[in-house]
Protein backbone atom coordinates (compact mmCIF):
# COMPACT_ATOMS: atom_id res chain seq x y z
CA UNK A 1 0.00 0.00 0.00
CA UNK A 2 2.79 2.41 0.97
CA UNK A 3 4.68 1.68 -2.24
CA UNK A 4 1.60 2.36 -4.41
CA UNK A 5 0.73 5.57 -2.55
CA UNK A 6 4.27 6.94 -2.79
CA UNK A 7 4.44 6.07 -6.49
CA UNK A 8 1.31 8.15 -7.11
CA UNK A 9 2.61 10.99 -4.94
CA UNK A 10 5.88 11.17 -6.86
CA UNK A 11 4.03 11.35 -10.16
CA UNK A 12 2.64 14.69 -8.96
CA UNK A 13 5.84 15.86 -7.23
CA UNK A 14 9.36 14.48 -7.52
CA UNK A 15 10.15 15.32 -3.89
CA UNK A 16 7.00 15.26 -1.73
CA UNK A 17 7.29 17.27 1.48
CA UNK A 18 6.72 15.94 4.98
CA UNK A 19 3.66 18.16 5.14
CA UNK A 20 2.19 16.39 2.11
CA UNK A 21 2.95 12.98 3.64
CA UNK A 22 1.31 14.05 6.88
CA UNK A 23 -1.83 15.26 5.12
CA UNK A 24 -2.17 12.03 3.15
CA UNK A 25 -1.53 9.89 6.25
CA UNK A 26 -4.11 11.91 8.18
CA UNK A 27 -6.77 11.29 5.50
CA UNK A 28 -5.96 7.59 5.23
CA UNK A 29 -6.20 7.07 8.99
CA UNK A 30 -9.51 8.96 9.05
CA UNK A 31 -10.85 6.60 6.37
CA UNK A 32 -9.46 3.36 7.84
CA UNK A 33 -8.81 3.89 11.58
CA UNK A 34 -9.18 0.23 12.53
CA UNK A 35 -6.38 -0.78 10.17
CA UNK A 36 -3.99 2.19 10.21
CA UNK A 37 -4.32 4.17 13.43
CA UNK A 38 -1.50 4.10 16.03
CA UNK A 39 -3.23 2.39 18.93
CA UNK A 40 -2.13 0.34 21.91
CA UNK A 41 -4.89 -1.41 23.86
CA UNK A 42 -7.50 1.07 22.68
CA UNK A 43 -5.46 4.21 23.46
CA UNK A 44 -4.53 6.38 20.46
CA UNK A 45 -0.84 7.33 20.44
CA UNK A 46 -0.19 10.97 19.52
CA UNK A 47 -2.36 11.99 16.59
CA UNK A 48 -2.70 8.38 15.54
CA UNK A 49 -1.02 8.74 12.16
CA UNK A 50 2.69 9.36 12.89
CA UNK A 51 3.83 5.79 12.14
CA UNK A 52 2.12 5.97 8.74
CA UNK A 53 3.89 9.27 8.04
CA UNK A 54 7.16 7.61 9.02
CA UNK A 55 6.57 4.74 6.57
CA UNK A 56 5.58 7.07 3.73
CA UNK A 57 8.63 9.30 4.32
CA UNK A 58 10.94 6.29 4.45
CA UNK A 59 9.60 5.04 1.12
CA UNK A 60 9.96 8.51 -0.45
CA UNK A 61 13.60 8.69 0.67
CA UNK A 62 14.26 5.23 -0.79
CA UNK A 63 12.70 6.23 -4.11
CA UNK A 64 14.69 9.47 -4.19
CA UNK A 65 17.96 7.62 -3.55
CA UNK A 66 17.29 5.24 -6.42
CA UNK A 67 16.30 8.05 -8.81
CA UNK A 68 18.38 10.86 -10.30
CA UNK A 69 20.68 12.72 -7.90
CA UNK A 70 19.70 15.98 -9.56
CA UNK A 71 16.59 16.38 -7.36
CA UNK A 72 16.97 19.62 -5.48
CA UNK A 73 17.00 19.51 -1.69
CA UNK A 74 14.56 21.69 0.19
CA UNK A 75 16.00 24.80 1.76
CA UNK A 76 16.32 24.84 5.52
CA UNK A 77 13.90 27.71 5.74
CA UNK A 78 11.12 25.84 3.96
CA UNK A 79 7.66 26.00 5.46
CA UNK A 80 7.31 22.27 4.85
CA UNK A 81 9.51 21.29 7.83
CA UNK A 82 8.33 20.73 11.37
CA UNK A 83 11.52 22.13 12.91
CA UNK A 84 11.28 24.43 15.91
CA UNK A 85 13.77 27.21 16.50
CA UNK A 86 16.38 26.51 19.22
CA UNK A 87 15.08 29.50 21.22
CA UNK A 88 11.61 27.94 21.46
CA UNK A 89 12.65 24.33 21.90
CA UNK A 90 13.72 24.56 25.57
CA UNK A 91 10.39 26.06 26.52
CA UNK A 92 8.56 23.34 24.60
CA UNK A 93 10.53 20.65 26.45
CA UNK A 94 9.65 22.17 29.82
CA UNK A 95 5.94 22.61 29.09
CA UNK A 96 5.61 19.36 27.09
CA UNK A 97 2.59 17.39 28.29
CA UNK A 98 1.59 20.04 30.88
CA UNK A 99 -1.77 21.80 31.15
CA UNK A 100 -0.86 24.17 34.00
CA UNK A 101 2.88 24.71 33.77
CA UNK A 102 2.75 28.34 34.86
CA UNK A 103 0.05 30.34 36.65
CA UNK A 104 -0.07 34.08 36.04
CA UNK A 105 -2.22 34.87 39.06
CA UNK A 106 -2.81 33.60 42.57
CA UNK A 107 -6.10 31.77 43.14
CA UNK A 108 -8.85 34.21 44.11
CA UNK A 109 -9.05 32.85 47.66
CA UNK A 110 -5.27 33.13 48.24
CA UNK A 111 -2.77 35.87 49.16
CA UNK A 112 1.02 35.82 49.50
CA UNK A 113 0.58 35.64 53.26
CA UNK A 114 -1.84 32.72 53.11
CA UNK A 115 0.53 30.86 50.79
CA UNK A 116 3.39 31.30 53.26
CA UNK A 117 1.21 30.17 56.15
CA UNK A 118 0.17 26.99 54.30
CA UNK A 119 3.81 26.36 53.40
CA UNK A 120 4.71 26.46 57.10
CA UNK A 121 1.91 23.99 57.83
CA UNK A 122 3.32 21.63 55.19
CA UNK A 123 6.79 21.76 56.78
CA UNK A 124 5.33 20.96 60.19
CA UNK A 125 3.32 18.04 58.82
CA UNK A 126 6.34 16.62 56.98
CA UNK A 127 8.21 16.32 60.30
CA UNK A 128 5.39 14.39 61.99
CA UNK A 129 5.29 10.59 62.07
CA UNK A 130 1.57 10.59 61.28
CA UNK A 131 -0.54 13.10 59.41
CA UNK A 132 -3.76 13.35 57.45
CA UNK A 133 -3.14 12.58 53.75
CA UNK A 134 -6.20 14.63 52.82
CA UNK A 135 -4.83 17.65 54.68
CA UNK A 136 -1.53 17.36 52.79
CA UNK A 137 -3.39 17.08 49.45
CA UNK A 138 -5.37 20.22 50.23
CA UNK A 139 -2.24 22.18 51.18
CA UNK A 140 -0.40 21.04 48.02
CA UNK A 141 -3.30 22.08 45.80
CA UNK A 142 -3.69 25.44 47.56
CA UNK A 143 0.02 26.28 47.27
CA UNK A 144 0.51 24.93 43.74
CA UNK A 145 0.91 28.51 42.42
CA UNK A 146 3.90 29.21 44.71
CA UNK A 147 5.46 25.80 44.04
CA UNK A 148 5.40 26.32 40.26
CA UNK A 149 6.82 29.82 40.58
CA UNK A 150 9.76 28.53 42.62
CA UNK A 151 10.42 25.61 40.26
CA UNK A 152 10.08 27.65 37.06
CA UNK A 153 12.47 30.30 38.39
CA UNK A 154 15.10 27.57 38.71
CA UNK A 155 15.31 27.38 42.50
CA UNK A 156 18.04 25.06 43.81
CA UNK A 157 16.79 21.51 44.36
CA UNK A 158 17.96 21.39 47.97
CA UNK A 159 15.98 24.56 48.71
CA UNK A 160 12.91 23.11 46.98
CA UNK A 161 13.16 19.96 49.11
CA UNK A 162 13.42 21.99 52.30
CA UNK A 163 10.78 24.59 51.42
CA UNK A 164 8.32 22.22 49.71
CA UNK A 165 8.59 18.72 51.18
CA UNK A 166 7.81 16.53 48.17
CA UNK A 167 6.86 13.27 49.81
CA UNK A 168 5.16 10.65 47.66
CA UNK A 169 1.71 12.13 48.21
CA UNK A 170 2.99 15.64 47.45
CA UNK A 171 4.58 14.59 44.16
CA UNK A 172 1.39 12.81 43.06
CA UNK A 173 -0.86 15.78 43.78
CA UNK A 174 1.52 18.26 42.14
CA UNK A 175 1.85 16.02 39.05
CA UNK A 176 -1.93 15.78 38.65
CA UNK A 177 -2.31 19.56 38.93
CA UNK A 178 0.48 20.01 36.38
CA UNK A 179 -0.60 17.44 33.77
CA UNK A 180 -4.22 16.62 34.56
CA UNK A 181 -3.18 12.95 34.94
CA UNK A 182 -3.51 11.01 38.24
CA UNK A 183 0.04 9.65 38.55
CA UNK A 184 -0.18 6.23 40.23
CA UNK A 185 -3.82 5.52 39.41
CA UNK A 186 -3.17 5.98 35.67
CA UNK A 187 -0.09 3.75 35.76
CA UNK A 188 -1.92 0.97 37.64
CA UNK A 189 -4.88 1.09 35.25
CA UNK A 190 -2.56 0.94 32.23
CA UNK A 191 -0.60 -1.95 33.74
CA UNK A 192 -3.80 -3.92 34.16
CA UNK A 193 -4.79 -3.30 30.53
CA UNK A 194 -1.45 -3.53 28.73
CA UNK A 195 1.38 -5.05 30.78
CA UNK A 196 0.72 -8.76 30.20
CA UNK A 197 0.36 -8.39 26.44
CA UNK A 198 3.47 -6.20 26.17
CA UNK A 199 5.48 -8.59 28.35
CA UNK A 200 4.36 -11.59 26.28
CA UNK A 201 5.42 -9.79 23.10
CA UNK A 202 8.84 -8.90 24.52
CA UNK A 203 9.45 -12.41 25.87
CA UNK A 204 8.43 -14.20 22.67
CA UNK A 205 8.52 -12.24 19.42
CA UNK A 206 11.29 -9.83 20.46
CA UNK A 207 13.37 -12.55 22.11
CA UNK A 208 13.17 -14.61 18.90
CA UNK A 209 14.46 -11.67 16.84
CA UNK A 210 17.04 -10.18 19.21
CA UNK A 211 19.86 -12.02 20.99
CA UNK A 212 20.14 -9.07 23.40
CA UNK A 213 16.48 -9.36 24.46
CA UNK A 214 16.71 -13.17 24.67
CA UNK A 215 19.71 -12.93 27.01
CA UNK A 216 17.80 -10.43 29.16
CA UNK A 217 14.76 -12.76 29.33
CA UNK A 218 16.95 -15.69 30.50
CA UNK A 219 18.72 -13.52 33.08
CA UNK A 220 15.47 -12.13 34.51
CA UNK A 221 13.88 -15.57 34.83
CA UNK A 222 16.79 -16.61 37.04
CA UNK A 223 16.30 -13.58 39.31
CA UNK A 224 12.53 -13.86 39.77
CA UNK A 225 10.89 -15.37 42.85
CA UNK A 226 13.09 -13.83 45.54
CA UNK A 227 10.20 -11.92 47.13
CA UNK A 228 6.47 -12.62 47.19
CA UNK A 229 4.04 -10.09 45.75
CA UNK A 230 6.79 -7.78 44.53
CA UNK A 231 5.44 -6.67 41.12
CA UNK A 232 7.79 -8.98 39.24
CA UNK A 233 5.96 -8.61 35.92
CA UNK A 234 6.41 -4.83 36.11
CA UNK A 235 10.11 -5.27 36.80
CA UNK A 236 10.40 -7.68 33.87
CA UNK A 237 8.57 -5.22 31.63
CA UNK A 238 10.82 -2.27 32.56
CA UNK A 239 14.08 -4.18 32.19
CA UNK A 240 13.02 -5.77 28.89
CA UNK A 241 11.96 -2.38 27.52
CA UNK A 242 15.46 -1.11 28.29
CA UNK A 243 16.88 -4.13 26.47
CA UNK A 244 14.52 -3.73 23.49
CA UNK A 245 15.52 -0.08 23.01
CA UNK A 246 19.18 -0.89 23.88
CA UNK A 247 19.22 1.87 26.50
CA UNK A 248 21.33 2.21 29.62
CA UNK A 249 19.98 0.50 32.74
CA UNK A 250 22.48 2.36 34.93
CA UNK A 251 20.84 5.71 34.06
CA UNK A 252 17.50 4.44 35.40
CA UNK A 253 18.57 2.08 38.20
CA UNK A 254 21.49 2.29 40.64
CA UNK A 255 22.18 -0.65 42.94
CA UNK A 256 23.46 -0.33 46.53
CA UNK A 257 23.73 -2.64 49.55
CA UNK A 258 20.42 -3.68 51.12
CA UNK A 259 21.27 -1.85 54.38
CA UNK A 260 22.62 1.30 52.69
CA UNK A 261 21.31 4.61 54.09
CA UNK A 262 20.67 7.71 52.00
CA UNK A 263 23.71 9.52 53.38
CA UNK A 264 25.92 6.52 52.46
CA UNK A 265 25.03 6.51 48.76
CA UNK A 266 27.99 7.51 46.57
CA UNK A 267 26.36 10.43 44.79
CA UNK A 268 29.15 10.90 42.24
CA UNK A 269 28.22 7.49 40.77
CA UNK A 270 24.63 8.61 40.09
CA UNK A 271 23.33 10.42 36.98
CA UNK A 272 22.02 13.97 37.40
CA UNK A 273 18.63 12.92 36.01
CA UNK A 274 16.02 11.14 38.20
CA UNK A 275 17.34 7.71 39.17
CA UNK A 276 15.85 4.86 41.21
CA UNK A 277 18.26 3.64 43.88
CA UNK A 278 17.68 -0.08 44.46
CA UNK A 279 18.58 -1.28 47.97
CA UNK A 280 19.64 -4.81 47.11
CA UNK A 281 21.44 -6.90 44.52
CA UNK A 282 18.52 -6.64 42.07
CA UNK A 283 15.03 -5.19 41.72
CA UNK A 284 13.68 -8.65 42.55
CA UNK A 285 15.52 -8.82 45.90
CA UNK A 286 14.87 -5.26 47.07
CA UNK A 287 12.32 -4.28 49.71
CA UNK A 288 13.26 -0.61 49.63
CA UNK A 289 13.97 1.97 46.94
CA UNK A 290 15.11 5.58 46.96
CA UNK A 291 14.89 8.36 44.38
CA UNK A 292 17.77 10.67 43.52
CA UNK A 293 17.67 13.84 41.42
CA UNK A 294 20.70 15.97 40.61
CA UNK A 295 22.95 13.87 42.89
CA UNK A 296 20.58 14.33 45.86
CA UNK A 297 18.31 11.76 47.48
CA UNK A 298 14.85 13.37 47.39
CA UNK A 299 12.96 10.36 48.77
CA UNK A 300 14.70 7.73 50.90
CA UNK A 301 11.75 5.46 51.72
CA UNK A 302 9.87 4.03 48.73
CA UNK A 303 8.52 0.61 49.61
CA UNK A 304 7.52 -0.76 46.20
CA UNK A 305 8.83 -0.71 42.64
CA UNK A 306 5.63 0.66 41.07
CA UNK A 307 5.73 3.74 43.32
CA UNK A 308 9.41 4.20 42.45
CA UNK A 309 8.64 4.22 38.71
CA UNK A 310 5.80 6.71 39.23
CA UNK A 311 7.93 9.08 41.30
CA UNK A 312 10.83 8.81 38.87
CA UNK A 313 8.68 9.81 35.87
CA UNK A 314 6.79 12.41 37.92
CA UNK A 315 10.09 14.09 38.81
CA UNK A 316 10.84 14.79 35.13
CA UNK A 317 7.62 16.77 34.83
CA UNK A 318 7.35 18.41 38.25
CA UNK A 319 10.98 19.61 38.21
CA UNK A 320 11.28 20.60 34.51
CA UNK A 321 13.87 17.92 33.71
CA UNK A 322 14.44 16.73 30.14
CA UNK A 323 14.71 13.03 29.29
CA UNK A 324 18.33 11.97 28.73
CA UNK A 325 18.98 10.86 25.14
CA UNK A 326 20.26 7.47 26.36
CA UNK A 327 16.91 6.78 28.05
CA UNK A 328 14.60 8.77 25.78
CA UNK A 329 12.79 5.91 24.01
CA UNK A 330 11.98 3.96 27.19
CA UNK A 331 10.70 7.05 28.99
CA UNK A 332 8.60 8.25 26.04
CA UNK A 333 7.05 4.80 25.62
CA UNK A 334 6.14 4.76 29.33
CA UNK A 335 4.84 8.33 29.16
CA UNK A 336 2.61 7.73 26.14
CA UNK A 337 1.44 4.16 26.71
CA UNK A 338 1.34 3.82 30.51
CA UNK A 339 0.88 7.37 31.83
CA UNK A 340 -1.38 8.54 28.97
CA UNK A 341 0.54 11.77 28.38
CA UNK A 342 0.21 12.04 24.63
CA UNK A 343 1.16 15.50 23.28
CA UNK A 344 0.68 16.06 19.55
CA UNK A 345 3.89 18.07 19.23
CA UNK A 346 7.16 18.68 21.01
CA UNK A 347 9.52 16.40 22.90
CA UNK A 348 10.75 15.86 26.44
CA UNK A 349 14.17 14.60 25.30
CA UNK A 350 17.15 16.88 25.88
CA UNK A 351 18.37 18.95 22.94
CA UNK A 352 20.76 17.44 20.41
CA UNK A 353 22.05 18.50 17.00
CA UNK A 354 19.65 16.09 15.33
CA UNK A 355 16.15 17.10 14.35
CA UNK A 356 13.57 15.50 16.65
CA UNK A 357 10.19 14.24 15.51
CA UNK A 358 6.86 14.68 17.28
CA UNK A 359 6.77 11.00 18.24
CA UNK A 360 9.96 8.97 18.73
CA UNK A 361 10.29 6.67 15.66
CA UNK A 362 11.54 3.80 17.84
CA UNK A 363 8.47 4.14 20.05
CA UNK A 364 6.25 4.09 16.95
CA UNK A 365 8.02 0.97 15.70
CA UNK A 366 7.36 -0.87 18.97
CA UNK A 367 3.71 0.19 18.95
CA UNK A 368 3.30 -0.96 15.35
CA UNK A 369 5.01 -4.30 16.05
CA UNK A 370 2.89 -4.80 19.16
CA UNK A 371 -0.31 -4.09 17.23
CA UNK A 372 0.74 -6.55 14.53
CA UNK A 373 1.51 -9.15 17.21
CA UNK A 374 -1.94 -8.64 18.80
CA UNK A 375 -3.62 -9.00 15.39
CA UNK A 376 -1.74 -12.23 14.65
CA UNK A 377 -2.66 -13.61 18.07
CA UNK A 378 -6.37 -13.29 17.22
CA UNK A 379 -6.11 -15.24 13.97
Amino acid sequence: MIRIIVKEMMKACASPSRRASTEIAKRLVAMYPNSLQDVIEGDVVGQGYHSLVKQIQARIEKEKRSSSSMIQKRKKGSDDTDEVSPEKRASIQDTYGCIKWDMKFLPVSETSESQQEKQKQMKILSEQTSFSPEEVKTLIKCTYYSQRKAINKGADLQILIEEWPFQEIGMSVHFEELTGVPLKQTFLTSLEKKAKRLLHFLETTCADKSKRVLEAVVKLRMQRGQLKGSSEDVKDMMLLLLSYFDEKEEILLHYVEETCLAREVQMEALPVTPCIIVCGSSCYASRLFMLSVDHKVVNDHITDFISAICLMLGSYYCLNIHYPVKLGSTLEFLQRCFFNINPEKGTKVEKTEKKTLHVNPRVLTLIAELSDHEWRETI
Side-chain angles (χ1 to χ4, degrees), residues 95-152:
T95 61
Y96 175 84
C98 301
I99 61 171
K100 200 158 64 173
W101 186 77
D102 190 33
M103 296 178 67
K104 293 183 179 179
F105 306 104
L106 273 167
V108 177
S109 59
E110 293 290 331
T111 63
S112 297
E113 291 74 21
S114 68
Q115 292 275 290
Q116 291 173 7
E117 183 59 36
K118 288 182 172 69
Q119 184 180 6
K120 289 178 183 177
Q121 291 178 39
M122 286 176 62
K123 289 181 183 178
I124 293 170
L125 286 172
S126 70
E127 294 170 358
Q128 297 178 358
T129 53
S130 63
F131 54 84
S132 166
E134 291 304 315
E135 185 178 359
V136 173
K137 288 180 182 179
T138 301
L139 289 170
I140 290 284
K141 287 181 179 180
C142 290
T143 57
Y144 178 78
Y145 169 90
S146 296
Q147 294 167 40
R148 285 315 308 167
K149 289 297 180 186
I151 293 167
N152 292 345

Side-chain angles (χ1 to χ4, degrees), residues 172-190:
S172 298
V173 174
H174 188 97
F175 182 87
E176 186 170 355
E177 289 289 307
L178 178 66
T179 65
V181 175
L183 183 59
K184 194 169 183 179
Q185 180 185 334
T186 302
F187 189 49
L188 289 172
T189 302
S190 296

Side-chain angles (χ1 to χ4, degrees), residues 25 37 40 43 45-46 68 77 83 111 115 137 156 170 281 321 363:
Q37 196 167 45
I40 179 169
D43 294 329
V45 178
S68 171
E83 293 184 46
T111 63
Q115 292 275 290
K137 288 180 182 179
D156 181 76
S281 58
I321 301 170
V363 171

Side-chain angles (χ1 to χ4, degrees), residues 8 17 30 60 91 98 106 109 127 145 172 182 184 186 193 196 232 260-261 284 292 317 325 330 350-351 377:
E8 293 302 312
S17 66
I60 288 172
S91 176
C98 301
L106 273 167
S109 59
E127 294 170 358
Y145 169 90
S172 298
K184 194 169 183 179
T186 302
K193 289 172 58 181
K196 283 187 178 179
E232 290 193 331
C260 183
L261 301 175
Y284 301 91
S292 74
Y317 282 84
V325 172
T330 301
E350 62 189 349
K351 291 185 288 185
E377 288 286 301

